[in-house]
Amino acid sequence: MEVKEEIEQFLEKRPNTVCAFGYGSGVFRQSGYSSSDKPQIDLILAVEDIRMWHLENMKKNPGDYSFTGKVFYSNASKNTIKGFNGITYQSNIKQQVDNETQMFKYGVIEVSDLEHQLKSWNRFYLAGRFHKNILKIKCNKNMDELIDQNRKYALITALYFLPDESTLTELYEKIVGLSFIGDTRMRFFENPNKIKNIVSKAKDEFDTLYAFPNPFFEIVEGERIRINRKEVMSEPLPAYLAYSLTELPKDDLQKLRDGIENFLKEKNKCESTKQTIHGLSTNGILRSSNYVFQKFKKRIYKK
């Protein structure tokens, strides 16, 4: 069975979503996994009302929740449920697919919050996720346009960091790496080769997403590119990033690079830490610990 069908079967048993996306190594093959590995399938679900969605899902699928999670969702306000990043995660969800047990993890966010994050980078936690390849299970025109705009922001931001002549692979690794700058999980839990693994197995997908004809760079030979620095530096950046750079000289590339790096470092460090803490309430200590342990094993054993 194709992974999209597996996800659709999973979602049939959950409350309605406005948009749904699959991502990660369970959806797209990455380096470091054997053909027999069956990684967890990761999902992002955009819904109208996050509290009502979870209350309905607890009735339909109580096994999705730990005891701690059930108590939390039953009593917390909508804003408390959202937490700092607007998204809640449930992990280690088992479902039978074609007589085999498949593991799922899903994050739930209100569609209005996801839209705002993609277009403004007020939060970078999910905006960075959407820079990579995703599988669209359910989407709409407005979300499609915001995803494309968010990727354009990622392309421009990554080009700030590269020398005037570079390669497509270096560009793609920089785009993927934006969401890991300052992320505390990369120091302790994530596979240190994660960025290279993502890009190496998805080169064609990244070509489709980012190597389209555009005014920001030209392909010189093979995969070598030459950056049009003037066009890059004149292109608008997402609102929250642009605001963080207002005091810097617009023609000083190095200071702008430093400013962008500081913005992303603070965003990723703060948001990843707060999301980890939030997960103890929404997912429970046992499930959260098991998820972290699986990440730690990848760091140790995956090449």
Side-chain angles (χ1 to χ4, degrees), residues 22-250:
Y23 68 96
S25 57
V27 177
F28 300 102
R29 181 60 57 182
Q30 296 177 10
S31 297
Y33 291 89
S34 70
S35 58
S36 62
D37 286 336
K38 197 169 178 62
Q40 177 173 259
I41 292 177
D42 296 317
L43 303 173
I44 294 171
L45 311 179
V47 305
E48 290 288 355
D49 186 304
I50 193 170
R51 185 171 190 273
M52 295 307 297
W53 192 93
H54 278 295
L55 290 176
E56 182 180 349
N57 192 50
M58 278 196 293
K59 294 178 182 178
K60 288 186 173 184
N61 301 286
D64 285 8
Y65 302 87
S66 65
F67 174 78
T68 302
K70 290 175 182 176
V71 172
F72 175 78
Y73 287 114
S74 297
N75 296 280
S77 67
K78 181 189 288 192
N79 285 338
T80 302
I81 289 172
K82 287 184 178 184
F84 189 75
N85 295 319
I87 189 167
T88 63
Y89 282 98
Q90 310 304 128
S91 66
N92 302 102
I93 312 299
K94 297 179 181 179
Q95 181 161 308
Q96 289 297 115
V97 179
D98 276 0
N99 298 318
E100 291 187 5
T101 300
Q102 175 63 57
M103 299 292 289
F104 289 84
K105 181 189 79 173
Y106 61 82
V108 182
I109 186 171
E110 291 193 353
V111 65
S112 57
D113 288 335
L114 179 56
E115 290 172 345
H116 185 49
Q117 292 181 21
L118 291 175
K119 67 185 178 184
S120 73
W121 289 12
N122 69 313
R123 296 288 183 268
F124 197 65
Y125 195 81
L126 283 186
R129 171 62 257 167
F130 279 83
H131 297 162
K132 310 168 190 68
N133 44 337
I134 57 171
L135 179 63
K136 295 178 182 178
I137 309 299
K138 186 178 181 181
C139 201
N140 57 43
K141 182 179 179 181
N142 184 56
M143 190 66 74
D144 269 333
E145 292 174 350
L146 289 173
I147 291 170
D148 287 343
Q149 179 63 62
N150 176 56
R151 285 175 175 156
K152 183 179 179 182
Y153 286 149
L155 173 64
I156 297 301
T157 303
L159 288 171
Y160 268 88
F161 288 103
L162 297 178
D164 289 344
E165 291 204 5
S166 189
T167 68
L168 287 173
T169 296
E170 289 169 336
L171 172 60
Y172 301 155
E173 289 181 354
K174 182 56 68 175
I175 289 172
V176 171
L178 295 177
S179 56
F180 295 116
I181 297 174
D183 188 334
T184 53
R185 295 171 299 178
M186 287 300 290
R187 293 179 58 193
F188 304 108
F189 306 120
E190 291 285 5
N191 179 357
N193 297 319
K194 186 179 182 73
I195 294 172
K196 291 184 180 296
N197 288 347
I198 290 172
V199 173
S200 65
K201 282 291 186 179
K203 181 68 163 50
D204 291 343
E205 287 87 347
F206 278 97
D207 283 342
T208 301
L209 294 177
Y210 292 105
F212 46 84
N214 62 67
F216 308 118
F217 67 84
E218 61 177 325
I219 297 177
V220 180
E221 181 182 0
E223 73 154 20
R224 293 203 64 78
I225 62 173
R226 181 179 297 117
I227 297 171
N228 186 336
R229 191 64 64 190
K230 182 178 180 181
E231 289 293 336
V232 169
M233 295 180 69
S234 64
E235 186 69 18
L237 292 168
Y240 277 74
L241 174 56
Y243 181 77
S244 74
L245 304 176
T246 51
E247 301 300 320
L248 300 179
K250 302 305 179 187

Side-chain angles (χ1 to χ4, degrees), residues 16-27:
N16 184 54
T17 62
V18 180
C19 298
F21 310 94
Y23 68 96
S25 57
V27 177

